[in-house]
Amino acid sequence: MLILGLETSCDETGVALYDTEKGLLSHALYSQVDVHAEYGGVVPELASRDHVRKTLPLVEQVLSDAQCGPQAIEGVAYTAGPGLMGALMVGATLARGLARGWGVPALGVHHMEGHLLAPMLEADPPQFPFVALLVSGGHTQLVRVDGIGRYRMLGESLDDAAGEAFDKAAKMLGLPYPGGPHIARLAPEGDPQRFDFPRPMVNRPGLDFSFSGLKTHTLTTIRQLEADGELSDQDRADVARAFEEAVVSTLVIKCRRALEQEHLSRLVMAGGVSANRNLRAQLQKALGARGAQVYYPAMEFCTDNGAMIAYAGAQRLAAGQCDGVEVQVRPRWPMTELPPLTEASGAAG
Ligand code: KG4
Ligand code: ZN
């Protein structure tokens, strides 16, 4: 089944063509980073308007890259939530309009399910069951995954998401938005001995996260440094290093605990922060030493993209799921409300 996937939940327009037999045929991404840069964060109205401008040209591009006519498309998947209301509406109305015009079904996909299934696009995909660490700009979650739509929340952030914490720490250091990649670039230059930041909530039982204390600690450290004069490049790198180490070791400790609790040996990580090389290396080291396997998406599919939406949509559309007549987007939408796929449905897993 050949599916067109559209991602417009935040500040990236992603479009892809996924075939359940042949795999990913083509994909294209446009990032709005430059549009929002001067505001230091995503401006929802500007995001919606830019999706309006960019989505259809990207649809044309992926069709042309795959040398495929629209008559070959058998279904259209789009991100229906969670995300920014206006941005979601652009993708939803466009996807459903295209599906209607082409006489094929449309399906609203859960953005975090898209992230969670992105490692399935790799050559050696994980088998169910596994524990998933979802770390994006809006979510930090540990989920037990027994199949598509069979999710049990093990723990989540009580305040800021990991990506959001990276973005805020970066802003405090005067780095551009989104800050995660900038902190990640600076951190290796930092002195690991200079600061030791707290690892939030690791001494308490359970699998929830909290990053607000770490954020306050980061701000206090920066203020103390600024009291002695302007921050030097080395100061910035040292803070970035300590901050990244604290987030990474917190995530690693909780992942290890989740695998032990669930008696599982496969960990899947996905979402923008899973692009962090230090996190990848430390998870691999800590869990690999215990005989566990760690899976993550290719770098380009860690952050928002159309391929993950096309993939997730293809599994569900191939199983016979599709939208009703009403256009519905859900800016807030717990992933555990998703329906499971039955074994007989023929979907992957
Ligand atoms: O999944 P994503 O593209 O969007 C959401 O669904 O939120 O994640 C974006 C987040 C941002 O907070 C960004 O700073 C963070 O992922 N991020 C990183 C890295 N690359 C992106 N954080 C740490 N290290 C990175 N290399
Ligand atoms: Zn995302």
Side-chain angles (χ1 to χ4, degrees):
M1 194 174 191
L2 179 62
I3 304 299
L4 175 73
L6 307 184
E7 156 61 36
T8 66
S9 68
C10 190
D11 57 347
E12 250 111 25
T13 317
V15 180
L17 272 178
Y18 181 84
D19 186 293
T20 47
E21 304 289 315
K22 298 181 197 150
L24 188 63
L25 300 188
S26 59
H27 62 97
L29 188 76
Y30 164 77
S31 169
Q32 301 181 351
V33 163
D34 294 343
V35 174
H36 304 289
E38 66 177 291
Y39 306 100
V42 179
V43 183
E45 182 58 26
L46 295 182
S48 312
R49 290 188 208 173
D50 221 23
H51 288 306
V52 171
R53 280 190 286 269
K54 294 300 185 320
T55 314
L56 263 185
L58 288 191
V59 170
E60 281 163 9
Q61 186 185 326
V62 296
L63 283 170
S64 133
D65 288 350
Q67 299 186 324
C68 167
Q71 67 287 347
I73 292 173
E74 295 167 277
V76 184
Y78 59 93
T79 305
L84 302 171
M85 175 63 114
L88 292 168
M89 285 300 289
V90 174
T93 42
L94 196 70
R96 293 175 60 113
L98 289 172
R100 181 114 197 196
W102 293 334
V104 298
L107 180 71
V109 169
H110 194 289
H111 181 79
M112 296 313 291
E113 179 173 76
H115 276 303
L116 184 138
L117 298 176
M120 299 291 182
L121 292 163
E122 298 308 298
D124 177 24
Q127 299 287 310
F128 301 118
F130 53 76
V131 168
L133 170 70
L134 302 179
V135 268
S136 68
H139 294 80
T140 300
Q141 298 176 324
L142 275 165
V143 189
R144 182 189 167 106
V145 180
D146 285 290
I148 293 178
R150 296 174 63 201
Y151 307 132
R152 186 156 55 82
M153 204 56 69
L154 303 173
E156 56 192 323
S157 179
L158 305 176
D159 39 59
D160 291 354
E164 194 179 357
F166 266 98
D167 295 339
K168 288 180 178 169
K171 199 168 191 173
M172 294 172 201
L173 289 170
L175 301 168
Y177 180 87
H182 295 281
I183 297 243
R185 254 193 298 276
L186 265 189
E189 319 278 320
D191 173 2
Q193 310 300 334
R194 181 155 175 214
F195 302 113
D196 189 15
F197 280 18
R199 273 68 172 145
M201 292 182 68
V202 295
N203 296 324
R204 281 193 236 164
L207 295 169
D208 286 333
F209 303 90
S210 165
F211 292 107
S212 67
L214 177 60
K215 191 176 66 184
T216 310
H217 188 91
T218 308
L219 186 60
T220 312
T221 306
I222 293 171
R223 292 247 164 93
Q224 277 164 357
L225 290 170
E226 281 172 343
D228 297 333
E230 222 174 276
L231 288 192
S232 68
D233 287 348
Q234 193 59 48
D235 289 336
R236 275 200 191 85
D238 294 345
V239 171
R241 174 76 177 236
F243 173 84
E244 187 182 87
E245 284 294 335
V247 175
V248 166
S249 61
T250 304
L251 294 174
V252 169
I253 290 166
K254 297 283 166 111
C255 286
R256 194 168 57 208
R257 206 179 275 176
L259 286 179
E260 277 164 13
Q261 176 190 302
E262 296 302 309
H263 305 290
L264 292 175
S265 61
R266 284 184 288 268
L267 183 97
V268 165
M269 72 161 166
V273 182
S274 67
N276 188 283
R277 289 180 199 277
N278 188 13
L279 175 60
R280 287 175 174 224
Q282 293 205 33
L283 267 180
Q284 194 83 53
K285 193 167 146 208
L287 302 184
R290 300 171 154 246
Q293 278 170 290
V294 183
Y295 298 83
Y296 30 75
M299 280 291 181
E300 60 184 331
F301 300 139
C302 287
T303 43
D304 293 350
N305 65 87
M308 67 185 196
I309 301 304
Y311 177 85
Q315 306 312 310
R316 290 186 172 277
L317 282 158
Q321 294 181 12
C322 68
D323 285 352
V325 284
E326 73 296 351
V327 177
Q328 230 184 34
V329 295
R330 295 188 59 180
R332 289 175 189 278
W333 185 7
M335 199 172 67
T336 43
E337 286 182 9
L338 290 172
L341 293 191
T342 57
E343 299 248 323
S345 65

